[in-house]
Amino acid sequence: MEDGESCPKLPIPGKRNILITSALPYVNNVPHLGNIIGCVLSADVYARYCRLRGYNAIYICGTDEYGTATETKALEENCTPKEICDKYHAIHKEVYDWFDISFDKFGRTSTPEQTQVCQAIFKKLFENNFLSENTMQQLYCDTCQKFLADRLVEGSCPFPECNYDSARGDQCEKCGKLLNPTELKDPRCKVCRTTPRIRDTDHLFIELPLLKDRLEKYIDDTSVTGSWSQNAIQTTKAWLKEGLRQRCITRDLKWGVPVPHEKYKEKVFYVWFDAPIGYVSITSCYTSEWEKWWKNPENVELYQFMGKDNVPFHTVMFPSTQLGTGENWTLMKTISVTEYLNYEAGKFSKSKGVGVFGNDVKDTNIPVEVWRYYLLTNRPEVSDTLFTWDDLQAKLTGELLNNLGNFVNRVLSFIAKPEPAGYGSVIPDAPGAESHPLTQSLAEKVGKFVEEYVEAMEKVKLKQGLKTAMTISNEGNAYLQGTQFWKLFKEDKPSCAIVIRTAAGLVYLLAQLLEPFMPSFSREVFKQLNLPLQFSLSDEGIASRLWEILPPGHRIGTPQPLFKELKDEEVQQYREKFAGSQADRRARDVEAANMAEQLKKTKLSDAKKQKAAKGAGTSKSQPAAATREITMARLDIRVGKIMKAEKHPNADSLYVEQIDVGGGEIRTVVSGLVKYIPLEEMQNRMVCVLCNLKPSKMRDIMSQAMVLAASSSDGSKVELVEPPESAKIGERVRFAGHEGEPDDVLNPKKKVWETLLVDLNTNENLVACYKDLPFTTDAGVCKVSSISNGTIR
């Protein structure tokens, strides 16, 4: 078994038997952090909680491997679909292993068991007359001699306002509208580039309208008794409101489960029909007695975790399939749905390679417990949330280091001090703890918090459960400060022993409560407590008797800091490293490797360098950028004119400007000014432009400079820094006493811009300044309209 067990678990009469699944990640790419928190990590937390409570739970997942996307990826990588699946299944498994995901079985859908279970379900539906035949029109490629799946067709978007010439058969990536392949103008086959023709093809459909009454009763009952998340209920009701229609369950593909019907034997099942059945087939790979889990609704509760885009397949499609067989299936009781986790200024995207991916995370020096904690505190349970590097750093410092890590380390380090300065690593006896006021107050608070923790976790409110556990850590720190144990050790040793033994019990309790969220943290705490790795929360009452948890005389292990600081320069490094798409990153890596190779080939000897340096000793040439003093002379700020400004096609908060910066040079600039300056006021404006920042991609558009603007002290108002109307376009903005040539491109690692930025301001006369030096042109100084004493960036 995945977690090292020698035999599979089966439902036990009289116990809570919980079957947990997370949406099967598609196998054609590497999972990003949004995928991980959306399904596998959330389900892992709940599975670990169930085991902590002594429930009989199994966690099933695996890679979804059949369908169009796999065939398309195989074409891209010039290999077979099987080879693609083998490659990416191994990558997924490696990523989830690193994230400490405790599957009981992590399987895959391209197995004989999948074929067997899928075909058996199909036959039952067919026997029960819930399937029908219909004719569809589909694009057929005569050159490739096959019907083309949506993603194997591209052409021009049919919407006149868009007309993008590389729209996919299922969706236009430029305007975002959903399409049918037959709607494309000038369609072409992605494989051979020839024009396909429309041809009739017969397919099988599941008759959802015939299952409507049974499905609606199931949804009405279970959404209440199973406490479905609100977003799941809303999405499901929207589908039902639109009216159930027959749904195609077959595809003209080769890579999939073959349809066991003579007329359709050349077709396979559509991935939406086939994929949820993967939960069942993967369980059948876990145990041959899989029906005891999947056909046992009286004794098994099914909990399913997924992102919001998967909801209809689990609340409408899969239950309809199960109901249509007429068999006694274990239907989903509870569904936990997440919204989207966004990345910095945009969205995570597997197809575009944007964001931090599972294989990237392993290459950072940030431990797994920090990643798990941050993702779970940011779990998008009711609305989209945002991943930012600054926020990760802030939560690591403020919550893990200063709260949790500080509490655990203070307690254990004090116990570990040799006598007479401490307790020589031995837990002291603590008679009279029940009558110690601060200790009793702590126990009452912690007892209530543990009840709240259990209530939240039972309702799958994972973020609330984590928050409650961290509140208990806060109470621990307050307890240490309130009792002033370091004084008690000198003045009242019996009271100090009560405090220390109680605090050590709280350390133990926190390790238990946090094990579902940060298992590696809990293992390390138990190691430092010198305890076997056995986690259990079957006795909630222990929280009100903290001083009884660890026996007197128990010898602890060696305390070590549990978390380490993430420095500003590391945050900046990661932000730069993971900027843009994965393709951009690979290009940067190649460029860096080429540059390193070029440096190796440089033949200039040290002697020649020294000679060259001596020969230049009397010249006034500019020193190398790496050694130059950081002054305003290093910035290339020019007078520019916005020739055209428009809304960013992929970001509501951004403008894209075309700016003339002199010498016939037009630069594309992306600015976050939408909420402050109307679009019409952006046209034909004179502006100050920082031209030597390193270009960066912002939501798929490369920004080649920065427009300078001032903001008010409360951030509510932003205005452009404007040169005089008569200033010459392309003229460099000057600062008295800061003469010299600018850097060609500012090196982000040297933080030149960041260092100077803090002293950019507007004065009482609305003049833009560096400290008290005005932004100066031949035509006069640069100003803002109304913001005095503002900041410029």
Side-chain angles (χ1 to χ4, degrees):
M1 301 302 102
E2 301 290 327
D3 58 2
E5 291 189 9
S6 57
C7 60
K9 288 180 277 189
L10 294 173
I12 300 170
K15 289 197 76 170
R16 274 195 77 183
N17 300 296
I18 300 180
L19 173 57
I20 299 162
T21 72
S22 62
L24 306 182
Y26 207 74
V27 79
N28 69 329
N29 220 319
V30 181
H32 56 61
L33 296 184
N35 304 135
I36 290 166
I37 185 58
C39 47
V40 293
L41 179 54
S42 295
D44 180 64
V45 172
Y46 187 69
R48 287 178 179 276
Y49 167 75
C50 289
R51 297 180 196 121
L52 194 68
R53 295 284 287 158
Y55 305 152
N56 185 42
I58 63 169
Y59 177 17
I60 300 295
C61 190
T63 43
D64 178 8
E65 302 192 349
Y66 284 138
T68 306
T70 305
E71 286 196 353
T72 306
K73 190 73 171 178
L75 285 170
E76 287 176 13
E77 299 197 12
N78 195 28
C79 60
T80 66
K82 175 71 165 59
E83 288 169 333
I84 281 289
C85 293
D86 289 346
K87 172 185 172 180
Y88 283 101
H89 174 82
I91 291 172
H92 276 257
K93 183 69 168 66
E94 185 181 358
V95 168
Y96 303 141
D97 285 346
W98 190 88
F99 267 96
D100 243 339
I101 307 297
S102 61
F103 303 114
D104 288 273
K105 179 66 180 177
F106 184 74
R108 50 201 306 188
T109 57
S110 60
T111 62
E113 289 84 356
Q114 174 77 355
T115 299
Q116 183 180 348
V117 175
C118 201
Q119 290 182 345
I121 288 173
F122 165 79
K123 289 174 183 176
K124 284 288 183 183
L125 290 170
F126 194 83
E127 290 170 10
N128 294 342
N129 296 314
F130 287 118
L131 299 180
S132 62
E133 298 181 72
N134 214 331
T135 301
M136 299 172 63
Q137 287 194 324
Q138 203 169 331
L139 291 175
Y140 183 87
C141 178
D142 289 304
T143 305
C144 297
Q145 293 191 328
K146 66 178 182 180
F147 285 98
L148 298 179
D150 300 351
R151 295 191 179 197
L152 288 179
V153 186
E154 64 181 19
S156 295
C157 179
F159 292 92
E161 65 274 15
C162 177
N163 206 33
Y164 179 52
D165 65 359
S166 295
R168 284 193 330 228
D170 58 348
Q171 186 175 23
C172 175
E173 286 193 312
K174 184 178 179 184
C175 69
K177 290 187 170 64
L178 297 178
L179 304 171
N180 288 316
T182 52
E183 295 176 315
L184 291 172
K185 294 188 294 184
D186 305 318
R188 55 193 177 272
C189 170
K190 284 189 73 172
V191 179
C192 67
R193 316 305 292 176
T194 60
T195 302
R197 61 187 175 90
I198 295 176
R199 185 172 138 181
D200 288 346
T201 176
D202 292 338
H203 281 284
L204 288 164
F205 291 73
I206 185 170
E207 290 291 340
L208 293 179
L210 299 179
L211 293 158
K212 178 176 179 289
D213 292 343
R214 273 180 275 184
L215 178 67
E216 287 189 341
K217 184 179 187 312
Y218 157 73
I219 291 169
D220 290 342
D221 293 346
T222 312
S223 61
V224 176
T225 58
S227 301
W228 288 12
S229 54
Q230 199 57 40
N231 43 11
I233 294 173
Q234 289 169 350
T235 303
T236 304
K237 295 291 186 185
W239 266 62
L240 294 176
K241 187 176 180 180
E242 286 180 11
L244 294 175
R245 304 188 303 273
Q246 58 171 212
R247 290 274 170 176
C248 186
I249 66 167
T250 53
R251 286 304 240 183
D252 288 297
L253 294 172
K254 298 296 182 187
W255 183 244
V257 174
V259 179
H261 187 290
E262 184 60 30
K263 181 178 175 181
Y264 296 96
K265 63 184 179 181
E266 297 300 317
K267 300 180 191 288
V268 300
F269 288 115
Y270 202 164
V271 70
W272 77 255
F273 177 80
D274 152 71
I277 295 171
Y279 300 129
V280 183
S281 74
I282 292 169
T283 310
S284 76
C285 294
Y286 170 72
T287 171
S288 59
E289 299 181 84
W290 60 271
E291 291 186 348
K292 290 185 177 179
W293 285 106
W294 280 101
K295 295 183 179 179
N296 189 3
E298 295 79 17
N299 295 303
V300 174
E301 303 167 55
L302 174 58
Y303 282 69
Q304 299 197 285
F305 291 77
M306 69 207 65
K308 62 182 177 183
D309 49 346
N310 268 318
V311 169
F313 303 108
H314 292 78
T315 61
V316 176
M317 303 297 197
F318 188 41
S320 295
T321 301
Q322 292 172 297
L323 291 167
T325 66
E327 296 177 309
N328 193 32
W329 284 95
T330 302
L331 296 169
M332 178 181 64
K333 174 189 173 185
T334 297
I335 181 172
S336 179
V337 177
T338 55
E339 303 290 314
Y340 293 135
L341 175 70
N342 295 322
Y343 178 69
E344 292 281 345
K347 286 186 176 181
F348 280 96
S349 170
K350 280 199 295 186
S351 61
K352 296 178 182 177
V354 175
V356 182
F357 287 71
N359 53 343
D360 298 329
V361 168
K362 296 188 300 159
D363 296 333
T364 69
N365 66 350
I366 303 172
V368 63
E369 59 268 23
V370 175
W371 284 110
R372 285 181 62 119
Y373 178 81
Y374 181 69
L375 290 173
L376 289 159
T377 59
N378 238 8
R379 185 174 187 250
E381 293 182 356
V382 294
S383 61
D384 292 355
T385 57
L386 186 65
F387 171 100
T388 71
W389 288 101
D390 288 338
D391 189 39
L392 185 149
Q393 180 190 33
K395 283 187 166 63
L396 168 56
T397 302
E399 298 171 20
L400 294 180
L401 258 171
N402 297 343
N403 175 7
L404 181 63
N406 178 61
F407 173 68
V408 174
N409 196 251
R410 279 181 86 185
V411 174
L412 300 189
S413 295
F414 191 75
I415 295 171
K417 283 183 180 180
E419 295 181 296
Y423 291 95
S425 296
V426 174
I427 300 293
D429 197 2
E434 297 90 341
S435 57
H436 187 262
L438 286 176
T439 298
Q440 196 57 44
S441 174
L442 173 73
E444 288 174 5
K445 288 180 184 175
V446 171
K448 288 177 182 175
F449 281 130
V450 170
E451 288 176 9
E452 291 176 16
Y453 169 91
V454 170
E455 182 181 358
M457 297 298 285
E458 291 291 337
K459 293 179 179 177
V460 202
K461 294 182 177 178
L462 307 183
K463 190 153 66 170
Q464 183 59 43
L466 178 54
K467 183 180 178 182
T468 302
M470 293 300 287
T471 302
I472 293 173
S473 177
N474 265 327
E475 291 295 336
N477 277 308
Y479 176 66
L480 294 183
Q481 288 302 112
T483 57
Q484 297 189 318
F485 68 92
W486 59 94
K487 287 186 179 179
L488 290 179
F489 189 73
K490 297 174 183 176
E491 301 167 4
D492 185 356
K493 277 194 166 53
S495 292
C496 188
I498 291 171
V499 171
I500 290 301
R501 189 177 171 195
T502 301
L506 188 54
V507 167
Y508 171 95
L509 179 65
L510 280 168
Q512 300 279 20
L513 297 174
L514 290 169
E515 193 276 339
F517 303 95
M518 296 185 288
S520 55
F521 160 82
S522 297
R523 289 194 296 268
E524 178 58 27
V525 171
F526 265 45
K527 178 183 171 186
Q528 293 186 24
L529 285 170
N530 192 26
L531 293 171
L533 298 179
Q534 296 171 350
F535 299 101
S536 173
L537 192 64
S538 54
D539 179 11
E540 297 170 53
I542 197 70
S544 59
R545 306 187 307 278
L546 296 168
W547 52 89
E548 294 181 4
I549 291 176
L550 296 177
H554 173 75
R555 180 171 291 276
I556 69 168
T558 304
Q560 298 285 345
L562 292 157
F563 304 101
K564 69 174 185 177
E565 181 185 7
L566 187 61
K567 296 179 180 176
D568 290 346
E569 52 266 32
E570 292 178 288
V571 170
Q572 182 62 24
Q573 176 191 339
Y574 292 134
R575 187 182 290 112
E576 291 170 7
K577 180 176 180 179
F578 298 117
S581 69
Q582 289 183 310
D584 294 333
R585 296 171 209 167
R586 284 193 291 271
R588 289 199 298 267
D589 291 343
V590 170
E591 183 182 351
N594 290 341
M595 188 175 291
E597 188 62 31
Q598 195 64 39
L599 288 171
K600 283 182 185 178
K601 295 176 181 177
T602 302
K603 302 297 183 183
L604 188 62
S605 67
D606 288 344
K608 287 182 180 178
K609 291 179 187 176
Q610 290 170 6
K611 184 177 178 182
K614 287 179 183 176
T618 57
S619 75
K620 296 182 180 179
S621 62
Q622 173 185 322
T627 60
R628 288 180 72 189
E629 181 185 358
I630 295 180
T631 72
M632 291 298 288
R634 296 181 65 172
L635 303 185
D636 183 9
I637 301 176
R638 300 185 212 168
V639 174
K641 185 173 184 179
I642 300 176
M643 309 306 292
K644 178 185 178 184
E646 57 189 355
K647 287 279 191 73
H648 194 300
N650 301 326
D652 293 339
S653 63
L654 301 178
Y655 285 133
V656 181
E657 303 110 23
Q658 302 299 319
I659 303 180
D660 185 349
V661 294
E665 185 183 1
I666 305 293
R667 297 222 186 166
T668 300
V669 179
V670 180
S671 304
L673 297 171
V674 170
K675 65 185 286 189
Y676 303 106
I677 304 174
L679 182 59
E680 59 271 19
E681 293 182 18
M682 291 290 292
Q683 312 298 333
N684 300 309
R685 291 284 290 271
M686 298 290 284
V687 286
C688 290
V689 187
L690 179 59
C691 292
N692 61 340
L693 278 180
K694 186 176 181 180
S696 64
K697 188 171 282 190
M698 298 178 71
R699 299 297 294 275
D700 299 328
I701 293 179
M702 188 65 75
S703 183
Q704 300 168 317
M706 176 192 287
V707 174
L708 298 185
S711 63
S712 58
S713 57
D714 62 0
S716 63
K717 194 174 182 183
V718 174
E719 295 174 350
L720 294 171
V721 176
E722 296 184 84
E725 280 294 328
S726 57
K728 183 180 177 182
I729 293 173
E731 178 187 352
R732 190 172 170 209
V733 176
R734 305 184 303 279
F735 301 86
H738 292 252
E739 286 76 27
E741 291 299 311
D743 292 6
D744 291 334
V745 178
L746 295 173
N747 185 341
K749 292 183 179 178
K750 302 300 180 183
K751 295 189 179 295
V752 177
W753 168 242
E754 290 80 0
T755 302
L756 297 168
L757 175 66
V758 296
D759 290 313
L760 300 182
N761 64 87
T762 58
N763 65 19
E764 293 178 354
N765 297 317
L766 309 181
V767 176
C769 297
Y770 167 68
K771 296 184 177 177
D772 57 355
L773 302 174
F775 284 48
T776 305
T777 71
D778 288 344
V781 297
C782 305
K783 304 181 74 172
V784 294
S785 299
S786 64
I787 298 174
S788 60
N789 301 314
T791 56
I792 294 175
R793 56 201 66 237

